[in-house]
Amino acid sequence: MKLNNKILRSSLLIGFLLVTLFFIKDKSKGTEQKHTTSSDIQFSGAWESMQFINTSRAYPEQDIPPDAYTKAYNFYKANFAQKNSRLNSTVSPWYNLGPDDIGGRTLAMAFDPADTNTIWLGSASGGLWKSTSGGLGTNAWTLIPTGYPVLGVSCIAIDPINTNVMYIGTGEMHSYGSSVNGLIERPTRGSIGIGILKSIDGGQTWNPSLDWQYQQVRGIWDLQINPLNPSTVIAATTEGIYKSTDAGANWTRVLNELMVMDLLIDPVDTNYVYAGVGNVDSPNP
């Protein structure tokens, strides 16, 4: 028993000395000058997961081509939609099993000017939603399909005179690609966008207004309708400010600054428009 105790104490002492020597050696490295490379930078697990998802989806490319989503959606409609309709004719449609208690990010909300119990909601990755009960109740919200492969609805604008006319902006784009020691901070975007969609029947059907279906690395951040002249619509986008004077039929870029995030029209003199510009590493905050 005494011999075993001696062996145990000796082992603990040797271990302690080894740990001490390692600590002293490691600490001495701090006095040496060390060149920091991009591989030394530590990123969060959330950042790494976003990069992994983007890389997996983009393979074999480095990033998802800007027109890939619309091409894939059109391919699906041409090759699989009819087959799925045949299946749905004999098999019950899919339905949600839950859970129903997990929320996501909400990017936009808008009240119907004629009926404030009707609220429209744009989500970051869940599409467009509508409530006719003022948002109250366990089943207050209904998903509104747009007919287009887009999940990020970033802004909503309703014509104050004819509330059947609506516009929604789609997609988030936080940065055009900035780097730290050669590493791109966030090449992924919040959600894919296809420009601006317009409805003239209260959200029952939608059509492209500013059509960016094949340029999906762009995003719409804000939409404003001129309260004195609803045919004039202004959009804050990743590409600058776009303006339409014919209710969204045609658009002209009137400010060529990247990452316009917010807009405000003077309600008295609508000739004055204020814009907030800048996001991650934007040159003009």
Side-chain angles (χ1 to χ4, degrees), residues 51-121:
Q51 297 297 85
F52 175 77
I53 292 172
N54 187 72
T55 302
S56 302
R57 291 175 176 175
Y59 183 83
E61 306 290 340
Q62 290 186 342
D63 196 6
I64 300 172
D67 59 351
Y69 283 89
T70 294
K71 285 184 176 179
Y73 180 67
N74 290 336
F75 180 84
Y76 166 80
K77 288 196 299 183
N79 294 275
F80 297 105
Q82 186 176 0
K83 296 178 182 179
N84 285 347
S85 65
R86 288 201 298 268
L87 287 174
N88 288 336
S89 64
T90 57
V91 182
S92 299
W94 291 90
Y95 59 92
N96 182 32
L97 291 177
D100 297 323
D101 57 348
I102 299 175
R105 289 188 299 126
T106 298
L107 300 180
M109 295 186 73
F111 284 92
D112 186 317
D115 178 11
T116 55
N117 280 325
T118 298
I119 308 174
W120 295 86
L121 182 148

Side-chain angles (χ1 to χ4, degrees), residues 210-250:
L210 180 59
D211 192 350
W212 284 349
Q213 292 188 70
Y214 293 93
Q215 292 292 334
Q216 292 155 337
V217 295
R218 300 175 176 181
I220 311 296
W221 281 106
D222 197 10
L223 282 169
Q224 294 289 328
I225 298 175
N226 188 321
L228 304 182
N229 181 12
S231 293
T232 298
V233 188
I234 304 176
T237 82
T238 55
E239 314 301 308
I241 294 180
Y242 280 75
K243 180 179 180 180
S244 173
T245 57
D246 53 10
N250 297 280

Side-chain angles (χ1 to χ4, degrees), residues 156-180:
I156 305 168
I158 303 175
D159 188 322
I161 297 177
N162 181 3
T163 58
N164 284 321
V165 176
M166 301 175 55
Y167 304 84
I168 59 173
T170 66
E172 288 183 285
M173 183 70 180
H174 302 281
S175 174
Y176 268 81
S178 52
S179 64
V180 175

